[in-house]
Structure formats: C-alpha cells, structure tokens
Amino acid sequence: MKIARFSRIGFILAAAGSAVGLGNIWKFPYITGENGGGAFVLVYLLAVIFIGFSIMLSEMFIGYLAKSDTVTSFEKLAPKNKNLWKYAGFQALTGLFIMTFYSVVIGWIFHYVVTSLVALPASVEEAETVFTTLLTSDAWTQLFYHTLSFIFITYIVTKGIKGGIEKLNMILMPLLMLILFGMFAYATTLEAFSQAVDFMFVADWSKITSESFVSAIGHAFFTLSLGMGAIMTYSASLKKESNLVNNALWVIFLDTTIAIVAGLMLFTFLYQYGSVPAKGPGLVFISLPAVFYEMGVIGNIFAIIFFISLAFAGLTSSVSIVEPMVQYLISRFNYARVKASIVVGLLFYLVGAVALFSNIDTFKEFLTIGSRNIFDWLDYITASILLPLGGLIMAVFVGFVIEKQRIESIMKPQLGFAFEIWYFSLRYVTPIAMFIVMLSLMGVL
Ligand code: TRP
C-alpha cells in the first residue's frame, strides 16, 4: 500500500494547526495577565526556545525515523529492551483522554458562535451568568454541541492524512490567520493598543515567582502539542528529504506569533473598554463577550468571527490529538481507517459526555471522586502528569537510548554547531526541567 505523505506546506500547517489551539488564544492571554505581562512573556519565549524546540525536534526525529505509530516507533528504535520501551507508546492514550474534555470545550465555542449571532450579554455579570448556566445546568446544549464536535472530528480523521487532516488544515489555518490578523489590524488603530504593547513587552520582574517559571515552561510545552505523540505521528508521514529543523522552526514561529497577536488584540480590547488583563480562565468566555457588546455593531461581527476562529483552532488541534490512537489501531490491529476512527471517536465521545455531566449541578455529586469531578480529573491527569511525563520520556529516549551516531548522521547536517547544544539540552536540561514541572503541577513541590 502506498502511504500518503504530507506536502511540505501541508505538514507545516498541520503541525502548526495542532500547536495553535485553545492554548494560544484562550490560555496564553489569561496566564500572561495573571503573571504580570512582559517578564512572563520573556520567560515563556526562553522556555519555547530552549525546551520546546529541543523536545519538538526529538518528537519529529522519532516519528521521521521510525515511520510508525507511537508504540511501534519506540519498539523499533530502542537498541535493547524493546519490550519495555514500547510502553512509552502509552502517549497515544493520552490523546484519547485529552480529547474527551477538549471536545466538550469546542462545544462551548460552537455555542458561543450561535450566542454571538443571537445576542451578546450586556454586562460582565450577565456574561458570567450565561457561562455558568451553560456549564452547570444546561447539559443538553452542551451535549448537542459535543456531539457535533465528535461527528466533525471523526469524519475528518476517517479521510486520512492527505484527504482529511492536510486538507482541513490547508483551509482552516489560512482562514484563522486572516481573521486574527484582521482583528489585530483593527486593534492597532485603537488608543489602548500602546497600553497592550507595554503590558506585553515591558518586563515587571516583581510579578515573577517560581510558579511563573513552572507555568511558562508547562505552557510552552502544552502549546506546542508536545508529549503525546501528535507531532511524532504526523512526522511519520514526512517525506524523506524533509528538513526537520526548518519545519520545527516554522511551527514554533507560527505558534508563538499567533499567541502574541491574539494576546495583544485581546488586551487592547479589554483596556479600551475599561477591563483589565488579569481575568483568569473566564477571559474569553466572560470578559470578552461583554467587551464585544460594548463595541457595538463591529463588536458583534468580531464576536462571531472570533469564536469561529477559536473553533477552527480547536478543530485543527483535535484531529492531531486523536490521530496517534487511530494510527495505533491501524498499524497494530489492522483496523481499517474508518473503523479505527469511529472506535476512537466513540470512546472520547462517551467519556466526554460523562465529563460534561460531571459539571452539571444535579449529577456532580455522583461524578466526583475525591477532590475533583471527572472533567477536572481528566484535565489534571493529562496536563499535569501524562504530558510532561511524555516529554521527559521523549528527551531521555533520544538523549540516552537511540545510538548517538544514528542521530548525528541525520541531525548534524541540519543543526551544524547547534547539534551539541541540542543534544546536551536533551540529556541534562530538558528532562530535569520537565521533571520539576511535572512535580510542581502535580502539587508535590
Ligand atoms: N497545543 C494545543 C493548544 O495550544 C493543545 C494541545 C496540547 C495539543 N497537547 C496537545 C494538541 C497534543 C494536540 C496534541 O491548545
């Protein structure tokens, strides 16, 4: 069977599509807000360069070299202890867990597209009620949109790498950029723009704590879609002559630019209409709709296209979150692609539905284990444990397990003198940083 390979631009857009997600547009602005702006942005950029880049390159390298699913890749490349290393392929499962609640959140965004069409909340208080009601008592609306999200994502994945994933990204990514850059251009004409620039780029070190470092590193890692084999699985479909360094730099550049552009734009709107950046997770779902309302007609249009672009960002990430598991079923169990996609789709759909009900007041009690409900557990286990663990394993695998000569022969021509720096970082810097981040996110430190 001839394997479909990404075109060069198709790969970059698909990997950037995976990276650019809710993390860039929803999370980056609010954690920047919480951590005082400029200094945090600087720490984040350093984390992207020193940690994000080195892990991304390792993931790409593993995928490119092994050309297989996550489990088989580790098995193939480990010189000894293959039976042990194949368990590193658990990463494919991490995607399945993430997808359960990611699909529910995409559902909220779909709902907000419709809300923006109908009527925006007129004040922050009203916006808060709208959001809280949706989350804690409107199970049917959430379920409806979660179902749409499941159908759409599963459908695209059934179409495969070329006809589904590449095509989706070739269409949605340019549209996403067009919308964000268009809104950004408008933001630059507002008075508050310079205030947003100051906030984002002037460092106030007094706000930086050790926790800021952890969240900067954790976020750099999350936003680049690392630690669960998504980039690895995509890289298995790279052409032989691909330049991994070049691809990685493009993906990182697009991801970072989009996060900064989205941040500057949102802060400008918030400042211009009398709000402040430090708004926490409710920034996009609560503060922003109220600000759009204040802006009048243009705000209405912005609200609609903004939530559409957010949905695009989420969907292009989603296909990469499920693909590793789909690929695993195809290559290890000989499933047809359609069957594999539907099995994976149904699994995340059903568990996602349970997670969704665990936020609803009437069911909460039965769907809470210890200190967290199911929704929060899924989020916690993936973001705080499995993803950093995946990154740690990837760095150790490339840094210590695969033979150095083998890595050198492919990566040295691409990296030049930077090869030794990368290799050193994989061995000694990245694993330690990931370990600390993991313990700290888990609340052990
Ligand atoms: N990078 C995505 C975002 O910024 C989310 C994400 C985290 C992700 N890990 C992933 C996406 C793994 C795909 C695969 O929202």
Side-chain angles (χ1 to χ4, degrees):
M1 193 181 73
K2 195 174 172 315
I3 303 169
R5 301 247 177 262
F6 279 118
S7 67
R8 179 169 144 72
I9 176 89
F11 176 80
I12 291 173
L13 285 184
S18 168
V20 175
L22 308 180
N24 300 58
I25 304 173
W26 163 70
K27 195 167 178 198
F28 176 71
Y30 90 72
I31 53 173
T32 302
E34 283 175 344
N35 288 284
F40 178 79
V41 174
L42 192 66
V43 175
Y44 163 77
L45 289 176
L46 292 175
V48 165
I49 296 167
F50 289 105
I51 294 169
F53 175 74
S54 66
I55 300 187
M56 171 159 295
L57 205 53
S58 321
E59 270 209 60
M60 279 190 182
F61 178 75
I62 298 175
Y64 171 83
L65 202 61
K67 302 223 171 341
S68 199
D69 63 281
T70 51
V71 176
T72 315
S73 295
F74 282 103
E75 204 176 57
K76 252 187 179 170
L77 300 183
K80 10 182 218 279
N81 299 328
K82 292 183 187 307
N83 277 331
L84 187 66
W85 273 108
K86 77 174 183 211
Y87 289 105
F90 77 86
Q91 304 183 10
L93 214 53
T94 309
L96 191 59
F97 289 139
I98 296 184
M99 206 49 227
T100 56
F101 62 90
Y102 212 77
S103 170
V104 175
V105 177
I106 291 177
W108 300 345
I109 297 167
F110 284 164
H111 176 67
Y112 269 73
V113 173
V114 178
T115 310
S116 315
L117 276 167
V118 183
L120 284 171
S123 63
V124 174
E125 293 72 37
E126 201 184 317
E128 192 154 1
T129 318
V130 170
F131 186 58
T132 321
T133 310
L134 173 73
L135 226 68
T136 57
S137 47
D138 196 350
W140 300 117
T141 303
Q142 286 191 76
L143 199 58
F144 173 72
Y145 289 112
H146 172 53
T147 309
L148 281 189
S149 160
F150 147 70
I151 293 173
F152 185 82
I153 293 160
T154 308
Y155 172 75
I156 298 291
V157 178
T158 61
K159 295 285 175 199
I161 287 279
K162 231 19 226 182
I165 294 176
E166 179 169 306
K167 214 174 192 176
L168 178 84
N169 281 287
M170 293 287 263
I171 301 170
L172 296 193
M173 287 305 285
L175 280 176
L176 165 76
M177 291 187 231
L178 197 73
I179 295 176
L180 288 180
F181 284 96
M183 288 174 67
F184 176 73
Y186 175 80
T188 59
T189 66
L190 299 177
E191 227 170 276
F193 182 70
S194 60
Q195 224 175 323
V197 172
D198 280 353
F199 180 70
M200 192 90 134
F201 296 113
V202 178
D204 173 4
W205 290 102
S206 70
K207 294 263 172 47
I208 293 286
T209 58
S210 56
E211 275 159 35
S212 317
F213 275 88
V214 169
S215 54
I217 299 174
H219 186 66
F221 183 76
F222 181 85
T223 186
L224 293 172
S225 295
L226 301 171
M228 54 142 285
I231 298 293
M232 188 190 298
T233 305
Y234 275 7
S235 303
S237 298
L238 271 173
K239 295 204 170 104
K240 194 162 178 296
E241 63 276 14
S242 310
N243 184 318
L244 304 185
V245 174
N246 198 304
N247 284 336
L249 289 176
W250 262 109
V251 174
I252 291 175
F253 169 74
L254 287 172
D255 186 73
T256 310
T257 310
I258 291 179
I260 290 182
V261 163
L264 281 175
M265 168 189 93
L266 296 183
F267 293 149
T268 306
F269 292 162
L270 293 174
Y271 278 131
Q272 184 83 16
Y273 293 91
S275 199
V276 281
K279 281 289 183 213
L283 190 144
V284 160
F285 291 112
I286 298 170
S287 323
L288 200 61
V291 163
F292 281 141
Y293 176 85
E294 290 287 317
M295 290 167 83
V297 181
I298 186 120
N300 253 293
I301 299 170
F302 276 3
I304 298 166
I305 59 173
F306 175 78
F307 285 110
I308 289 179
S309 72
L310 197 54
F312 287 177
L315 291 170
T316 53
S317 296
S318 301
V319 291
S320 80
I321 302 181
V322 285
E323 180 64 13
M325 194 65 199
V326 169
Q327 199 59 56
Y328 170 69
L329 293 179
I330 295 175
S331 63
R332 300 288 285 213
F333 296 92
N334 263 324
Y335 275 31
R337 179 168 271 278
V338 173
K339 181 174 165 194
S341 312
I342 294 177
V343 168
V344 173
L346 282 175
L347 282 173
F348 85 69
Y349 177 66
L350 295 174
V351 181
V354 177
L356 180 168
F357 276 99
S358 78
N359 277 327
I360 300 290
D361 286 336
T362 15
F363 299 96
K364 212 179 180 115
E365 211 186 309
F366 311 104
L367 299 171
T368 297
I369 304 165
S371 56
R372 294 182 174 86
N373 67 10
I374 308 245
F375 191 99
D376 295 342
W377 270 115
L378 286 162
D379 178 21
Y380 171 77
I381 291 173
T382 51
S384 305
I385 305 173
L386 296 178
L387 287 179
L389 187 63
L392 183 107
I393 290 175
M394 220 95 66
V396 169
F397 189 69
V398 178
F400 293 98
V401 181
I402 304 181
E403 302 90 334
K404 186 171 180 193
Q405 280 165 320
R406 208 167 169 191
I407 306 171
E408 222 168 353
S409 68
I410 297 176
M411 296 316 296
K412 189 120 189 210
Q414 297 185 21
L415 277 167
F417 75 94
F419 176 81
E420 292 299 335
I421 305 176
W422 174 61
Y423 199 69
F424 179 85
S425 155
L426 277 185
R427 290 190 140 191
Y428 307 108
V429 182
T430 312
I432 296 168
M434 286 328 291
F435 191 63
I436 295 174
V437 166
M438 185 172 91
L439 292 185
S440 150
L441 290 174
M442 284 168 71
V444 180
L445 282 186

